[in-house]
Amino acid sequence: MAFTAKDVKDLRERTGCGMMDCKKALTETDGDMEKAIEILREKGLAAAAKKAGRIAAEGLVVSVVDSDKKVGVVLEVNAETDFVAKNAQFVEFVNNIAKTIIDNNPANIEELNTLKCAGSDMTVEEELRDKILTIGENMKIRRFERMEGDLVAYVHGGGRIGVMVKFDTDVADKEGFGEYAKDIAMQIAAAVPQYLNKSDVPEEVVAKEKEILTAQAINEGKPANIAEKMVMGRINKFYKEVCLEEQPFIKDGDLTVAKYTENTAKALGGSIKMNSFVRFEKGEGLEKREDNFADEVASMMK
């Protein structure tokens, strides 16, 4: 019995297994869908697919730099519980994925899944499936950002927040730069800037903010000419909240981050420019799993 691409797609939808696994199963069973499902279940692959329906919003964020290659990555891998995020096997798996990304520069998660995983003979997708089966929780490689250049990595809260900052500088090897760079990464972790500087804020975002601030001023009973002046003052406050360079420096509120950078560059006798940054916070934007302990106990007693 022959099979088509649609059969592979249907089998994948029914089992949640990978495309290549479905194709192999259909080849082995000469296109028999039900036997292919049995084979996938026997191999434990469908069991992994069953777990894939469960919410995975915990996990780990790592930020790693290979200083020799001047390449780094911020990576988030999710699991169902915080307990698994501390599991040594899981932590090793996440770090191996990070190394795979650094070494191979995949364009996206789909390409990453096809690569041989660092420290293993299996692909990343096969390693992921193996960890789902052995650890017993759904897991998902959610996102990553790879960077090249003069980088600093910072992880906060045991993998809750990961930050990476890229600098354009001629003083990266000077004593004092490392401390400065870590301060900037900690600033990003704590103050959650959305943009590097004012020019990075899209015009439509500024226009919308001005619209909201104008409406607020008019609702406060201010005449239009006064409202306009108030908006200009408040938009500057907006920039100080969302732009890294405009934010007050967390260690010295009398300085902006831009001024702290300028002072450090002068002290080190060179130039420093913040080029870009990445900040991942574990589970942000994901549905969180809510456990009801009474219901869990009741289900175990059935």
Side-chain angles (χ1 to χ4, degrees), residues 129-145:
R129 210 161 42 223
D130 181 67
K131 292 296 178 287
I132 291 172
L133 289 167
T134 56
I135 295 175
E137 282 196 10
N138 184 26
M139 298 172 196
K140 182 179 181 182
I141 302 168
R142 185 186 182 197
R143 53 182 174 166
F144 68 86
E145 190 80 32

Side-chain angles (χ1 to χ4, degrees), residues 118-219:
S120 171
D121 291 327
M122 293 191 283
T123 65
V124 170
E125 184 175 30
E126 289 166 345
E127 273 286 346
L128 175 63
R129 210 161 42 223
D130 181 67
K131 292 296 178 287
I132 291 172
L133 289 167
T134 56
I135 295 175
E137 282 196 10
N138 184 26
M139 298 172 196
K140 182 179 181 182
I141 302 168
R142 185 186 182 197
R143 53 182 174 166
F144 68 86
E145 190 80 32
R146 186 181 184 272
M147 303 176 79
E148 298 182 4
D150 289 314
L151 308 170
V152 64
Y154 175 70
V155 175
H156 180 78
R160 185 171 67 86
I161 297 169
V163 173
M164 186 162 292
V165 194
K166 179 179 178 179
F167 299 92
D168 295 329
T169 180
D170 55 6
V171 294
D173 58 346
K174 288 199 174 183
E175 187 178 350
F177 179 80
E179 182 181 352
Y180 154 79
K182 185 179 178 183
D183 283 343
I184 297 301
M186 290 173 66
Q187 172 88 25
I188 294 165
V192 202
Q194 297 175 43
Y195 308 98
L196 180 62
N197 51 42
K198 289 181 181 180
S199 61
D200 284 347
V201 185
E203 289 182 10
E204 59 269 23
V205 172
V206 177
K208 187 63 179 177
E209 190 66 21
K210 285 181 177 178
E211 181 185 318
I212 293 168
L213 294 173
T214 301
Q216 287 176 353
I218 291 173
N219 289 338

Side-chain angles (χ1 to χ4, degrees), residues 77-93:
V77 180
N78 298 123
E80 293 180 56
T81 65
D82 186 53
F83 179 76
V84 162
K86 298 179 177 68
N87 178 294
Q89 275 188 301
F90 180 74
V91 173
E92 182 184 21
F93 171 57

Side-chain angles (χ1 to χ4, degrees), residues 57-58 76 78 142-143 281-288:
E58 293 295 336
E76 179 180 2
N78 298 123
R142 185 186 182 197
R143 53 182 174 166
E281 185 163 350
K282 177 184 69 180
E284 59 187 345
L286 291 177
E287 178 186 3
K288 295 291 195 295

